[in-house]
């Protein structure tokens, strides 16, 4: 636990300079190296963030035929690379392309591949605080609509599918609650380890939420606006702690388990060095504080709490506005698991009870954890195949 907090804050100190993704972190290498086509675009949001959008237009056996578009959205501290790190029969980006879909993998503001802005420079100390002043709310309200509109304009489709993991579901729920007109642009949403409520999170994450007020004050005092970026410093930490000796490799494995839930049966150990190369990919401190606020809110899925005075200025109410998820008319399938320490079963079922058009599917393996939704060895059998069967209904 002390090691995890130590790395978070040291990583923040090691992020003085932000640069575009290096060649050795290029997602194109992961995709093209497996024999798949790859395209990259930049999308500009209403509030000026320039975001990277990666595309696999078709699979190996589709003979260039482009199918219906699907967004595959990563979660917090992750990037589009997460969907193409695994083998082609395990990585969801490859699987969706091979099943005839036009796969679009966005990168949220502030991660390795989306560090640009029309007027703000993260390298400039004068801009840093303003640049990193965002949470998942802005990702839902600004980023997701920009991606959806760009994809539909590019493909001449009127609607698309959406698959999200963890925060990738949270920002979808935020979008559809605040801009419900976008419900008309999504055919179906697959929510992998969905997060809207966090009352029943467990393990190390629960402890971090408990310490969040203290960590928030430390971050403010030290002017830490973002955490765990992909940087030479963090890659050095990864090399030192995760790849040097068998003991340190086990240490990194257990750090993952302490956050996500234990599941050594589904973790592909040969994949661990690749995972730690591309992940974490950075996040704003405000993102993590926002999640901790939700965990302390007493079953409220609400916008960021700035304190009663600023809340009055922003929301015209002393408390942050709750997201009205009853406005989400898009058909939603909630995929969840017993051993997910982040997305608790009771929280998922609470969310389902508030959604007007939702079904839930429990992963049929007790030890399946939060990260297994991306990287489990048997993800195809346990999750992706049933998910695709549901999508095919639409």
């Amino acid at each position: 636990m002390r090691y995890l907090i130590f790395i978070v804050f040291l990583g923040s100190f090691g992020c003085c300079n932000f640069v575009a993704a290096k060649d050795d972190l290029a997602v194109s290498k992961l995709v093209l190296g497996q024999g798949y086509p790859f395209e990259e675009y930049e999308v500009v949001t209403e509030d000026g963030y320039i975001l990277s959008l990666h595309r696999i237009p078709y699979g190996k056996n589709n003979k260039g035929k482009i199918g219906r578009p699907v967004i595959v959205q990563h979660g917090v501290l992750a990037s589009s690379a997460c969907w193409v790190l695994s083998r082609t029969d395990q990585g969801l980006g490859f699987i969706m392309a091979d099943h005839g879909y036009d796969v679009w993998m966005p990168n949220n503001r502030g991660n390795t591949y989306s560090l640009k802005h029309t007027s703000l420079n993260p390298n400039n100390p004068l801009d840093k605080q303003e640049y990193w002043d965002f949470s998942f709310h802005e990702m839902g309200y600004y980023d997701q609509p920009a991606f959806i509109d760009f994809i539909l304009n590019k493909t001449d489709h009127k609607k698309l599918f959406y698959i999200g993991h963890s925060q990738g579901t949270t920002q979808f729920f935020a979008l559809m609650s605040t801009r419900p007109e976008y419900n008309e642009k999504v055919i179906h949403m697959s929510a992998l380890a969905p997060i809207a409520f966090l009352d029943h999170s467990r393990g190390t994450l629960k402890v971090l939420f408990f310490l969040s007020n203290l960590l928030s004050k430390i971050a403010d005092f030290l002017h830490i606006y973002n955490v765990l970026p992909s940087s030479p410093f963090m890659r050095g930490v990864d090399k030192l702690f995760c790849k040097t000796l068998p003991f340190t490799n086990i240490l990194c494995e257990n750090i993952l388990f302490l956050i996500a839930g234990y599941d050594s049966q589904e973790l592909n150990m040969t994949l661990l060095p690749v995972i730690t190369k591309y992940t974490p990919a950075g996040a704003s401190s405000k993102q993590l504080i926002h999640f901790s606020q939700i965990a302390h809110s007493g079953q409220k899925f609400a916008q960021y709490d700035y304190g009663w005075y600023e809340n009055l200025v922003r929301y015209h109410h002393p408390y942050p506005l709750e997201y009205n998820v009853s406005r989400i008319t898009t058909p939603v399938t909630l995929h969840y698991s017993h051993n997910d320490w982040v997305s608790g079963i009771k929280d998922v079922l609470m969310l389902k009870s508030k959604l007007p058009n939702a079904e839930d599917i429990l992963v049929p393996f007790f030890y399946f954890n939060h990260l297994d939704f991306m990287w489990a060895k048997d993800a195809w059998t346990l999750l992706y195949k049933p998910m695709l069967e549901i999508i095919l209904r639409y």
Side-chain angles (χ1 to χ4, degrees):
M1 174 63 199
R2 289 192 297 269
Y3 170 80
L4 181 60
I5 295 175
F6 173 74
I7 292 299
V8 167
F9 279 93
L10 266 187
S12 303
F13 282 121
C15 62
C16 296
N17 295 309
F18 305 97
V19 294
K22 300 287 188 183
D23 286 343
D24 64 339
L25 292 177
V27 176
S28 59
K29 286 189 175 183
L30 294 170
V31 178
L32 295 171
Q34 297 285 4
Y36 288 78
F38 178 84
E39 297 174 9
E40 183 170 3
Y41 301 90
E42 286 189 336
V43 177
V44 182
T45 68
E46 293 176 39
D47 58 344
Y49 286 81
I50 303 172
L51 311 176
S52 179
L53 177 60
H54 295 156
R55 182 189 192 187
I56 307 176
Y58 52 86
K60 283 185 177 179
N61 301 318
N62 296 335
K63 299 180 180 179
K65 182 180 178 182
I66 300 177
R68 291 193 288 180
V70 57
I71 286 178
V72 186
Q73 180 63 60
H74 67 79
V76 68
L77 290 169
S79 72
S80 62
C82 293
W83 304 115
V84 289
L85 291 175
S86 307
R87 294 180 346 209
T88 58
D89 60 338
Q90 294 178 334
L92 185 57
F94 299 127
I95 288 172
M96 295 303 294
D98 285 337
H99 280 80
Y101 293 91
D102 179 9
V103 182
W104 295 82
M105 301 174 293
N107 286 282
N108 283 333
R109 60 180 65 192
N111 85 358
T112 306
Y113 309 99
S114 291
L115 283 168
K116 296 181 182 179
H117 193 278
T118 55
S119 61
L120 300 174
N121 180 1
N123 289 324
N124 187 341
L126 298 177
D127 290 341
K128 283 177 64 175
Q129 183 174 5
E130 185 177 355
Y131 177 89
W132 291 101
D133 186 20
F134 60 78
S135 180
F136 63 75
H137 175 80
E138 286 74 21
M139 294 172 183
Y141 193 84
Y142 294 114
D143 298 2
Q144 222 67 70
F147 287 132
I148 290 173
D149 290 339
F150 180 91
I151 293 166
L152 294 181
N153 289 334
K154 184 74 176 177
T155 61
D156 290 326
H157 281 264
K158 293 183 178 180
K159 295 187 175 185
L160 48 71
F161 291 97
Y162 186 103
I163 301 171
H165 172 249
S166 191
Q167 184 193 255
T169 72
T170 315
Q171 58 201 64
F172 177 90
F173 300 141
L175 163 63
M176 296 306 181
S177 299
T178 55
R179 304 179 78 165
E181 64 272 18
Y182 277 86
N183 281 285
E184 299 301 318
K185 299 186 179 186
V186 179
I187 304 167
H188 174 267
M189 189 268 193
S190 300
L192 312 183
I195 294 179
F197 305 100
L198 285 167
D199 281 43
H200 297 90
S201 58
R202 293 175 283 164
T204 302
L205 194 68
K206 193 74 171 180
V207 177
L208 286 173
F209 285 152
F210 179 78
L211 296 173
S212 61
N213 287 335
L214 173 62
L215 297 178
S216 176
K217 291 177 181 178
I218 293 173
D220 286 342
F221 179 76
L222 297 175
H223 303 294
I224 295 173
Y225 307 117
N226 70 308
V227 295
L228 293 174
S230 176
S231 65
F233 173 84
M234 287 308 296
R235 289 193 289 276
V237 170
D238 165 48
K239 184 176 181 180
L240 175 64
F241 287 97
C242 296
K243 297 176 182 176
T244 306
L245 299 169
F247 169 78
T248 56
N249 191 281
I250 294 171
L251 177 63
C252 286
E253 171 192 339
N254 279 277
I255 288 173
L256 293 178
F257 287 156
L258 284 169
I259 297 171
Y262 282 85
D263 184 14
S264 58
Q265 298 177 61
E266 286 299 318
L267 177 65
N268 185 347
M269 287 299 296
T270 61
L271 195 62
L272 189 59
V274 186
I275 292 172
T276 55
K277 178 179 179 180
Y278 289 88
T279 309
S284 73
S285 303
K286 189 175 180 180
Q287 278 174 264
L288 306 186
I289 294 169
H290 196 174
F291 279 119
S292 70
Q293 289 178 354
I294 290 175
H296 290 126
S297 67
Q299 295 188 330
K300 289 182 180 179
F301 179 39
Q303 296 185 35
Y304 193 86
D305 188 351
Y306 293 92
W308 71 268
Y309 179 78
E310 192 169 348
N311 287 342
L312 283 172
V313 174
R314 290 173 177 263
Y315 308 131
H316 307 292
H317 196 275
Y319 301 103
L321 300 178
E322 291 188 52
Y323 295 105
N324 184 2
V325 296
S326 68
R327 303 176 82 184
I328 303 175
T329 57
T330 301
V332 175
T333 302
L334 305 169
H335 297 269
Y336 63 107
S337 61
H338 279 291
N339 192 41
D340 188 338
W341 286 9
V342 183
S343 178
I345 289 180
K346 291 183 179 180
D347 293 330
V348 173
L349 297 179
M350 166 70 77
L351 173 61
K352 182 193 174 187
S353 72
K354 295 178 179 293
L355 291 171
N357 192 6
E359 62 179 323
D360 64 286
I361 304 292
L362 181 65
V363 176
F365 179 63
F366 186 86
Y367 296 103
F368 205 84
N369 72 25
H370 194 70
L371 300 179
D372 287 336
F373 285 88
M374 294 183 290
W375 300 317
K377 290 187 290 188
D378 298 313
W380 166 251
T381 304
L382 295 171
L383 175 63
Y384 297 153
K385 185 174 183 289
M387 181 189 72
L388 272 165
E389 289 172 352
I390 293 171
I391 291 174
L392 283 173
R393 298 180 198 164
Y394 299 88

